[in-house]
Amino acid sequence: MDYIVPDKVSTVADFFDDLNLAIFLASAFFTVAIVGAMLYFAFRYRAKSSNDITPRIEGNHLLEIVWTVVPTVVVVVIAWVGIVLREKMFEVSPNVIPIYVTAWKWAWEFRYPTGKRTSGQNAELVVPVNKPVKLVIASKDVIHSLFIPAVRIKQDAVPGQLKYMTFTALKTGEYPIFCAEYCGTRHSYMMAKLRVVSEEEFNTWVNTIPEKTMPKRILGKKLYTDLGCNACHSVESGVNLVGPSFYDVFGAQRNFKDGTSLTADENYILESILYPNKRVVQGFNENVMPSYEGRLSQEELMALVSFIVELKTAPKEELVEVVFEKDEKIDLEKMTPLERGKYLYSAKGCNACHSVDGSQLVGPSFKGLHGARREFADGSSVVADDSYIKDSILNPNARIVKGFVAAMPSYQGQLNEDDLAGIVEFIKSLK
Amino acid sequence: MASEAKTVEAGAPPVYHHIDPVNAYHASKLGMWLFLATEILLFSVLFSAFAVYNWMYFEYFHDAATKLDWRLGAINTAVLLFSSYTAAVAVYKAQISDNRGVVINFGISFLCGLIFLVIKYIEYSAKYEHGYFPGTSYWNSTEFSAHYKNYFGLYYTMTGLHALHVVIGMGVLLWVIGLARKNRFSSRYYTPVELGALYWHLVDLIWIFLFPLLYLID
Amino acid sequence: MGIHSYAVDEIGHLKENNYLNCDKSLRSWLFTLDHKRIALLYLASLLVFFFLGGLSAIFMRLHLYNVEKPLLSPDAYNVAFTFHGVLMIFLFIVPGIPAVLGNFLLPLMIGAKDVAFPRLNLLSLWIYWLGALVGIIGIINPVWILKYLQGSAISQWIPLDTGWTFYAPYSTSTGAGEGWGTIMMTLAAFILGFSSILTGLNFMVTIHRLRAPGLTWFKLPVFVWGIYATSAIQVLATPVVGITLLLLIVEKVFGIGIFDPAKGGDPILYQHFFWFYSHPVVYIMVLPAFGIIGEIIPVFSRKPIFGYTAVVFSSVGIAVVSFIVWAHHMYTSGMSPFSQAVFSATTFAVAVPTAIKVFNWVSTMYKGSIRFDPAMLYAMAFVFLFMIAGTSGIFLAVLGLDIFYHDTYFVVAHFHYTIQGGAVIGLIAGLHFWFPKITGRMYNPGVAKLAFWLIFLGFNVTFIPQFILGVQGMPRRYAFYLPEFEPMHRLSTFGTFFNAFGYTLAILNLAWSWAFSKVKAGANPYDALGLEWQAPSPPPHDNFVVPPNVEIGRYDYGVPVNLVAQKEVVRS
């Protein structure tokens, strides 16, 4: 069999080939035995005359039980080993190098956390030898399938979902990669190369980045503040605002309100961005987070996912930047109150829940808020003046306006008097 | 469902070369039940697709369901339930050789089917005016989420396929009414009446599942 | 047709009318209610599509002989494998054995004059023709013809390129056939599904209600059991794929997102629905073939089938289990590991009843008196080919191995061993075996044996290299391949020609013998013990001249006591 099978490159390849050979030998044995018996009977009992006398044998219970039980036992064993092999194939080791794979008609793209990327005709999956890697696989159009015979694994790329593949390459060299799911005209040419290199070579290669390519993580970080995710999700360990901290999500066990649970992977993160209320983690509220379905491109979604996934592994200074919003060009003290309010509106992530155009997100729109009568869930009401607005920012859950849920975190200690005055000015300006 | 019928006298079962009349009756009924099983499987795919998407996008689905007028749906449910009752009465009438009774009761069922379709038409045209219909400008606008399209797509597919079954069922009723007007049925032979009624019950049954699923999920 | 009276000569030949010569007008054929004529009309139609499907396979193999100087463009290759799949599956092998041999033999084997609903039977045939017509219009495509007349090049004719599986979102987004090819072909498959449902329904009712009085369930021939299990699958699984394809059409025509993620749908759901039918459908193809082999081997071994009850229950068992294995086509689509393990386990549950069948067939030959008629050669070849089909199926059922083998040539080879080596060989074996009953004549056995060896060897030379290609990691549906795959592809192409030539020879031999052979067969040329051999050859319109006596054991009809002596009855 070794003459036929493709190069053995991955840790599971040996297991795969051994199982393959064992089943082949068992199959060959049974086939030769049964067909041999048939041919022997055919020769031994061939008709001598047209009046041959034959015994009337209708069955034999013992024999029939034996040939029911023996195959049953054999297939149970084989099935079990097959399941074990599959488990081994998809076992993700810790500290694995993530690589983002995107498929489209008719090309592959491989992106690395450093921003290094190869695609199209030159698509190359470069991996270090003896180091586990994890491929996160997406598709832009139809279903494709990433097939690397040398590592004995294949995984479909399904549009709208993220899939994984993991392996550890054991031998340097170049091996073919195919698209295995039919995808149209140039399906048969949708190939790429797996290049296994030494660790030093990999490090040099992956850090040689042409200018102007922004790592997905950095784009994700930008979106994290631009979209106002930061209003509800911190990036510090253990700090839960309205929603769970991003730092603790990836790879952690998530227990949901419906009693189910799972280990958070890339697809779960994507799902939570697109359909946040499908599964809500225990201890958090339903229907607080709006769906981002249709509001973000595939590229932006992948960027957010990689930002969250790589939080723990990303260089520290990047993180600091995210948490404290350090931007040298912005000096709050030099701004007018209105400018300051407008800036804080997006910097603090108010924009995630409060619109400025009258549309209702999680919280009430800021448009026309100042001076309007607010009716509360407890039946009381008040006209929204400056002090009411300041109070709602510092103690948001003291009084809840009818039709909304208590979802907003308090900004006590995060905003000073001038900040608050600025935000009030900003809201006043929205008539 | 049978071959080479040769009418001998009014009310007598048809004569076949390959099967005797009693067996023909049982065979036809068995065949009809098997056919109903395939119909139910046909719809069960739509039900499971609906269940899957309702689970995946329940906010959208619950919201979209409020756009339907449950009152019209309820009226239609009542109309079909009543028509099933008259269909059952028609079978009884045939069994006591009352061909006129078959004509009247199946006639009522037929009219109920017609009322059902008219109400369905009113519902569809209201949806069309609101722009919840494929091809309208609102439907094609970005405001209209893909998951609303999911819901309404399944809504039109399911109710449309059901309406098609109503139309086919009405055709069957009409055919049986025609035979009853020629006094073809008697206590000795009423297979077409029974099969027609069975089919009509199926049409009713499917609606009984569709109504709460589509109109009342909120 | 009324009441006939018949006279039979000494070898069981009708002196007067049989079903073939009672009325020879074209109208009497197109509007016939006789199950035997309907069977022959199906046979003629199926052979047309078998030929066309085979032709597209030859184009594919010729193209793959040398991809450096390709015969076809990539698009044309995609069209060729789509044609091959769609024609062979929906128009040839799914109706296949039930529509031809099932229709012809079922009433004869249960002592009935016809199926339960003869008019419905004719309607099924017409629906089949309608489906075929819609498919052909979809392929020829009036919209494209219009474009062609306006000067479009023939190389731009891409009527259909989805593969027979119509996977979304490729099928919902492809522009092939000016956007209409996929719609027309899925509509055709939907219509053909109705033909299949109505045939299955008809057969089930026939077996339930039309057995001759005294013919109890466990006296039924194994072929009837095979047909019964098949019919149950046809009735219960076909509606699922019908509505799924309808949803695909709705999605494509109205832009409603059911399976396309760009429109909010879920493409994996399509695969679940599709395989819920399309896995059981392989048992629609192959269960009746099991039945045929179970009829042939006892006759040419001059022995009753070994372990009748086990053979019967394994057919029913396979039919039941076939409904819970569908997701083994989707191991690489990213289902949860638990579901994968469950579907792997259920898949293995199919292996056991299949193995039991093989053991029973071989044991039937033990201490027999074996004659090597062409039908018996086909039956023995079936056992060999099906062993390979079954054991290669084990590789695909093993979860970890299928992750590699899925969508490679290994799957292609496995599928062809089951369907060509199983269903098609079974059909050809059955056609040879019952040829005397159908036509009243004998075929030329020498030519039949030559054709058999061409088919057998050609088939193995075609598909064993494809197993090797699969092990090497060659993906399927590729119009192009890397140099390391070339030798096996070339060998495979060689085999195809022997295979195709063998089928052509076998079918021409039967056709020629029917038209020109002078050798009359008689009612029971093989000294067989099945009920169908008690009717004259060819049978009259009502099948039996005198109502058959079935108040005896199974397979005991017309036992020439001096030949099959009850010397030694072994039961345990």
Side-chain angles (χ1 to χ4, degrees):
Chain A
M1 271 246 182
D2 271 3
Y3 297 105
I4 302 174
V5 297
D7 297 300
K8 279 185 226 226
V9 173
S10 69
T11 40
V12 292
D14 272 327
F15 188 170
F16 180 97
D17 288 357
D18 291 347
L19 180 59
N20 209 16
L21 185 64
I23 298 177
F24 174 75
L25 292 176
S27 298
F29 171 76
F30 279 106
T31 307
V32 168
I34 290 166
V35 175
M38 180 178 78
L39 292 176
Y40 172 74
F41 291 162
F43 175 76
R44 169 79 177 71
Y45 303 113
R46 65 190 182 279
K48 314 273 183 317
S49 75
S50 58
N51 298 338
D52 283 347
I53 292 176
T54 53
R56 190 180 173 93
I57 305 170
E58 299 210 323
N60 181 323
H61 283 173
L62 179 68
L63 206 55
E64 288 174 54
I65 289 168
V66 168
W67 71 43
T68 307
V69 172
V70 171
T72 309
V73 173
V74 171
V75 296
V76 165
V77 172
I78 294 176
W80 177 252
V81 181
I83 291 167
V84 172
L85 172 58
R86 193 252 166 226
E87 286 300 303
K88 252 189 135 51
M89 280 177 166
F90 287 84
E91 204 171 52
V92 184
S93 1
N95 300 324
V96 56
I97 303 166
I99 301 168
Y100 297 88
V101 183
T102 309
W104 65 87
K105 287 189 212 169
W106 290 275
W108 295 102
E109 182 201 64
F110 303 99
R111 271 177 187 267
Y112 293 78
T114 56
K116 181 83 178 179
R117 124 182 205 283
T118 66
S119 72
Q121 286 302 304
N122 308 317
E124 241 190 348
L125 175 61
V126 181
V127 299
V129 72
N130 293 330
K131 282 263 180 187
V133 294
K134 178 179 180 185
L135 311 184
V136 181
I137 306 166
S139 167
K140 282 187 185 172
D141 38 42
V142 300
I143 302 177
H144 302 275
S145 190
L146 184 70
F147 178 32
I148 316 178
V151 302
R152 309 284 188 274
I153 303 180
K154 145 178 336 105
Q155 177 61 57
D156 290 1
V158 181
Q161 299 177 21
L162 295 180
K163 306 286 178 191
Y164 327 94
M165 184 199 278
T166 180
F167 63 88
T168 309
L170 298 178
K171 223 164 73 181
T172 55
E174 290 188 356
Y175 313 96
I177 294 176
F178 301 110
C179 172
E181 182 63 61
Y182 173 68
C183 57
T185 310
R186 293 192 65 80
H187 164 60
S188 13
Y189 298 88
M190 192 169 157
M191 298 183 192
K193 220 169 20 180
L194 167 69
R195 191 150 65 87
V196 185
V197 296
S198 69
E199 208 181 335
E200 305 82 66
E201 199 182 331
F202 174 77
N203 285 334
T204 330
W205 180 84
V206 83
N207 287 309
T208 322
I209 309 166
E211 279 174 29
K212 290 203 289 188
T213 37
M214 188 189 247
K216 270 192 178 342
R217 184 178 67 246
I218 306 294
L219 175 62
K221 184 190 72 179
K222 191 166 152 346
L223 288 167
Y224 170 70
T225 46
D226 287 358
L227 296 169
C229 312
N230 53 348
C232 305
H233 299 278
S234 81
V235 287
E236 287 165 274
S237 179
V239 180
N240 288 325
L241 305 175
V242 177
S245 158
F246 280 168
Y247 193 84
D248 304 320
V249 170
F250 182 68
Q253 167 98 358
R254 311 305 281 169
N255 297 314
F256 302 109
K257 287 190 162 172
D258 59 9
T260 59
S261 67
L262 58 68
T263 306
D265 53 18
E266 286 87 348
N267 193 48
Y268 164 73
I269 292 169
L270 177 71
E271 178 198 287
S272 315
I273 298 170
L274 295 179
Y275 315 114
N277 298 316
K278 193 165 126 187
R279 287 184 279 207
V280 176
V281 173
Q282 283 171 13
F284 296 94
N285 283 329
E286 277 129 353
N287 297 323
V288 174
M289 177 165 161
S291 165
Y292 285 83
E293 225 252 308
R295 292 164 63 180
L296 298 171
S297 68
Q298 175 77 28
E299 178 103 69
E300 289 170 323
L301 284 169
M302 287 292 277
L304 269 175
V305 170
S306 57
F307 167 66
I308 296 169
V309 167
E310 291 164 27
L311 263 179
K312 280 182 198 173
T313 50
K316 253 307 170 267
E317 60 276 20
E318 268 181 25
L319 250 180
V320 170
E321 202 185 334
V322 170
V323 175
F324 297 106
E325 270 298 320
K326 277 206 180 124
D327 197 330
E328 299 305 324
K329 283 172 203 151
I330 290 170
D331 188 348
L332 289 176
E333 304 306 324
K334 283 185 186 156
M335 288 178 172
T336 65
L338 183 60
E339 279 170 1
R340 188 169 184 159
K342 198 173 177 178
Y343 171 76
L344 289 168
Y345 168 71
S346 51
K348 288 291 170 192
C350 312
N351 54 353
C353 304
H354 300 277
S355 79
V356 290
D357 59 0
S359 63
Q360 183 184 314
L361 302 175
V362 179
S365 173
F366 284 169
K367 187 176 179 176
L369 178 64
H370 195 268
R373 177 160 284 276
R374 309 307 290 163
E375 295 195 4
F376 301 111
D378 60 9
S380 62
S381 70
V382 73
V383 172
D385 53 11
D386 291 10
S387 71
Y388 165 74
I389 289 173
K390 283 180 188 167
D391 194 36
S392 327
I393 296 170
L394 299 176
N395 303 304
N397 298 328
R399 287 175 294 185
I400 299 295
V401 174
K402 221 184 238 172
F404 294 93
V405 292
M408 183 165 155
S410 165
Y411 284 82
Q412 194 97 48
Q414 292 190 45
L415 300 169
N416 62 28
E417 257 322 297
D418 291 341
D419 292 340
L420 286 171
I423 292 171
V424 171
E425 279 307 307
F426 173 62
I427 294 175
K428 257 190 196 166
S429 73
L430 300 165
K431 287 295 174 198
Chain B
M1 285 238 174
S3 85
E4 296 172 47
K6 287 199 189 73
T7 315
V8 188
E9 53 178 298
V15 177
Y16 305 105
H17 85 104
H18 68 292
I19 189 167
D20 67 80
V22 177
N23 208 0
Y25 166 74
H26 290 295
S28 303
K29 250 173 86 168
L30 179 62
M32 194 63 194
W33 278 108
L34 284 172
F35 184 69
L36 297 188
T38 69
E39 289 277 22
I40 287 175
L41 277 158
L42 193 82
F43 275 94
S44 63
V45 172
L46 292 170
F47 287 135
S48 33
F50 188 88
V52 167
Y53 287 121
N54 187 41
W55 176 72
M56 280 167 67
Y57 315 127
F58 71 94
E59 305 149 79
Y60 295 94
F61 269 50
H62 286 218
D63 196 30
T66 60
K67 306 280 194 298
L68 299 184
D69 190 341
W70 66 269
R71 287 177 227 94
L72 288 178
I75 293 171
N76 259 346
T77 311
V79 166
L80 277 191
L81 277 174
F82 180 69
S83 74
S84 251
Y85 167 73
T86 52
V89 172
V91 177
Y92 167 71
K93 294 287 182 192
Q95 284 169 341
I96 58 166
S97 307
D98 178 2
N99 275 292
R100 216 177 105 76
V102 174
V103 173
I104 291 170
N105 282 289
F106 264 9
I108 296 172
S109 299
F110 182 86
L111 283 179
C112 288
L114 213 57
I115 294 170
F116 178 90
L117 289 177
V118 168
I119 294 178
K120 207 78 234 155
Y121 173 76
I122 294 170
E123 282 192 86
Y124 274 22
S125 47
K127 298 285 155 316
Y128 185 82
E129 271 160 33
H130 285 106
Y132 304 136
F133 205 85
T136 61
S137 57
Y138 181 66
W139 176 278
N140 290 330
S141 72
T142 48
E143 271 175 80
F144 200 73
S145 153
H147 303 318
Y148 287 130
K149 286 182 197 166
N150 254 319
Y151 176 86
F152 282 105
L154 283 168
Y155 167 78
Y156 291 122
T157 314
M158 291 163 98
T159 54
L161 198 64
H162 177 257
L164 184 69
H165 279 76
V166 173
V167 172
I168 294 169
M170 285 165 69
V172 172
L173 293 181
L174 213 55
W175 172 65
V176 177
I177 289 171
L179 289 177
R181 281 168 60 94
K182 290 185 205 148
N183 288 327
R184 287 284 291 111
F185 305 118
S186 72
S187 54
R188 286 185 295 157
Y189 175 64
Y190 51 85
T191 315
V193 187
E194 193 165 349
L195 299 193
L198 270 177
Y199 190 78
W200 193 253
H201 291 322
L202 172 92
V203 169
D204 185 22
L205 180 79
I206 291 170
W207 180 256
I208 299 288
F209 280 107
L210 284 178
F211 173 60
L213 205 61
L214 292 171
Y215 290 75
L216 305 178
I217 52 171
D218 193 28
Chain C
M1 303 262 170
I3 309 300
H4 297 272
S5 61
Y6 302 101
V8 185
D9 67 16
E10 64 280 1
I11 60 160
H13 244 291
L14 271 189
K15 285 178 174 166
E16 290 160 16
N17 285 348
N18 59 46
Y19 81 102
L20 290 169
N21 63 12
C22 60
D23 186 346
K24 290 188 166 171
S25 66
L26 180 67
R27 197 191 138 79
S28 75
W29 277 90
L30 291 181
F31 290 87
T32 184
L33 297 177
D34 188 324
H35 65 102
K36 301 180 285 299
R37 286 189 162 199
I38 290 175
L40 291 183
L41 290 172
Y42 268 119
L43 179 61
S45 327
L46 294 178
L47 287 178
V48 170
F49 293 110
F50 185 46
F51 175 74
L52 291 175
L55 206 61
S56 43
I58 288 172
F59 271 106
M60 282 155 69
R61 289 303 336 160
L62 274 178
H63 170 85
L64 292 172
Y65 185 76
N66 185 353
V67 285
E68 297 302 324
K69 287 186 190 144
L71 176 71
L72 306 171
S73 71
D75 276 326
Y77 180 81
N78 294 345
V79 171
F81 77 67
T82 305
F83 272 14
H84 177 68
V86 167
L87 295 176
M88 285 296 197
I89 287 175
F90 293 114
L91 285 160
F92 171 60
I93 202 65
V94 171
I97 298 171
V100 179
L101 292 173
N103 247 324
F104 197 96
L105 293 165
L106 181 59
L108 283 166
M109 283 180 161
I110 62 171
K113 291 178 176 173
D114 209 316
V115 294
F117 311 118
R119 270 192 266 181
L120 191 67
N121 204 15
L122 179 63
L123 183 67
S124 306
L125 173 64
W126 286 357
I127 293 176
Y128 170 81
W129 280 342
L130 175 70
L133 185 71
V134 171
I136 290 168
I137 293 173
I139 289 169
I140 295 175
N141 207 325
V143 186
W144 184 80
I145 293 207
L146 217 63
K147 274 179 117 176
Y148 179 68
L149 292 176
Q150 289 163 358
S152 191
I154 189 101
S155 62
Q156 287 172 355
W157 178 55
I158 306 164
L160 192 66
D161 71 342
T162 56
W164 76 278
T165 48
F166 304 113
Y167 264 23
Y170 187 78
S171 58
T172 57
S173 59
T174 176
E178 321 305 320
W180 282 97
T182 316
I183 293 175
M184 291 296 276
M185 194 42 87
T186 42
L187 187 65
F190 176 76
I191 294 169
L192 290 167
F194 269 96
S195 167
S196 187
I197 290 173
L198 294 178
T199 303
L201 185 154
N202 212 340
F203 286 177
M204 279 182 90
V205 176
T206 305
I207 296 170
H208 271 275
R209 306 295 324 180
L210 258 60
R211 282 171 286 128
L215 190 64
T216 54
W217 282 91
F218 287 97
K219 282 196 209 167
L220 291 177
V222 290
F223 179 68
V224 172
W225 274 104
I227 289 288
Y228 186 76
T230 306
S231 302
I233 303 176
Q234 283 177 308
V235 167
L236 295 176
T238 318
V240 174
V241 80
I243 193 70
T244 306
L245 296 178
L246 201 65
L247 282 173
L248 210 62
I249 295 171
V250 166
E251 169 150 354
K252 216 169 152 79
V253 175
F254 298 107
I256 292 161
I258 295 167
F259 302 125
D260 186 351
K263 297 173 190 148
D266 184 354
I268 304 296
L269 190 66
Y270 175 83
Q271 297 181 14
H272 279 293
F273 284 158
F274 181 81
W275 290 114
F276 184 83
Y277 164 78
S278 296
H279 190 78
V281 86
V282 304
Y283 298 103
I284 293 181
M285 301 170 195
V286 88
L287 274 175
F290 288 161
I292 290 171
I293 303 309
E295 296 292 332
I296 292 175
I297 290 182
V299 168
F300 295 105
S301 304
R302 207 183 284 248
K303 293 240 340 276
I305 182 122
F306 189 93
Y308 169 88
T309 324
V311 171
V312 164
F313 279 112
S314 58
S315 284
V316 177
I318 290 171
V320 172
V321 179
S322 75
F323 278 95
I324 50 169
V325 302
W326 77 89
H328 66 217
H329 294 266
M330 302 162 56
Y331 288 154
T332 64
S333 73
M335 280 187 301
S336 78
F338 179 72
S339 326
Q340 293 187 15
V342 168
F343 280 106
S344 176
T346 54
T347 303
F348 278 105
V350 182
V352 177
T354 315
I356 291 170
K357 277 188 180 296
V358 174
F359 294 138
N360 281 308
W361 294 328
V362 173
S363 306
T364 303
M365 293 166 69
Y366 174 68
K367 288 195 175 175
S369 165
I370 292 157
R371 288 170 289 169
F372 298 101
D373 287 42
M376 184 61 172
L377 291 180
Y378 279 112
M380 287 169 65
F382 180 100
V383 172
F384 170 67
L385 299 176
F386 213 80
M387 272 311 292
I388 297 181
T391 48
S392 62
I394 298 284
F395 288 81
L396 297 174
V398 174
L399 201 45
L401 297 191
D402 187 65
I403 299 284
F404 177 87
Y405 284 129
H406 178 73
D407 273 337
T408 65
Y409 264 71
F410 195 91
V411 175
V412 177
H414 162 73
F415 183 75
H416 282 86
Y417 265 87
T418 52
I419 301 308
Q420 200 191 132
V424 181
I425 295 285
L427 176 63
I428 297 280
L431 284 177
H432 281 85
F433 182 54
W434 283 293
F435 184 82
K437 182 56 54 192
I438 295 169
T439 64
R441 294 168 202 271
M442 260 305 180
Y443 54 81
N444 182 326
V447 180
K449 283 182 186 174
L450 175 65
F452 163 78
W453 285 109
L454 284 171
I455 293 174
F456 180 73
L457 295 174
F459 174 75
N460 284 303
V461 174
T462 307
F463 290 103
I464 285 180
Q466 298 196 8
F467 275 124
I468 297 171
L469 283 171
V471 174
Q472 288 177 314
M474 167 83 204
R476 67 194 290 204
R477 295 175 168 179
Y478 260 39
F480 175 80
Y481 49 73
L482 299 177
E484 60 257 41
F485 301 122
E486 192 178 80
M488 288 299 134
H489 269 300
R490 295 208 158 173
L491 194 56
S492 183
T493 302
F494 275 120
T496 310
F497 285 97
F498 291 101
N499 202 12
F501 185 58
Y503 280 119
T504 315
L505 192 62
I507 289 162
L508 286 181
N509 178 40
L510 293 183
W512 185 89
S513 301
W514 191 356
F516 303 113
S517 169
K518 301 268 184 324
V519 189
K520 304 239 166 171
N524 191 357
Y526 311 120
D527 298 330
L529 305 176
L531 186 51
E532 75 272 24
W533 300 104
Q534 293 301 300
S537 303
H541 178 63
D542 279 347
N543 292 346
F544 293 94
V545 178
V546 283
N549 173 24
V550 298
E551 299 286 346
I552 46 178
R554 71 173 170 255
Y555 292 116
D556 267 348
Y557 308 102
V559 183
V561 179
N562 61 325
L563 293 184
V564 181
Q566 312 283 315
K567 187 174 127 197
E568 180 190 342
V569 177
V570 182
R571 290 175 206 261
S572 53

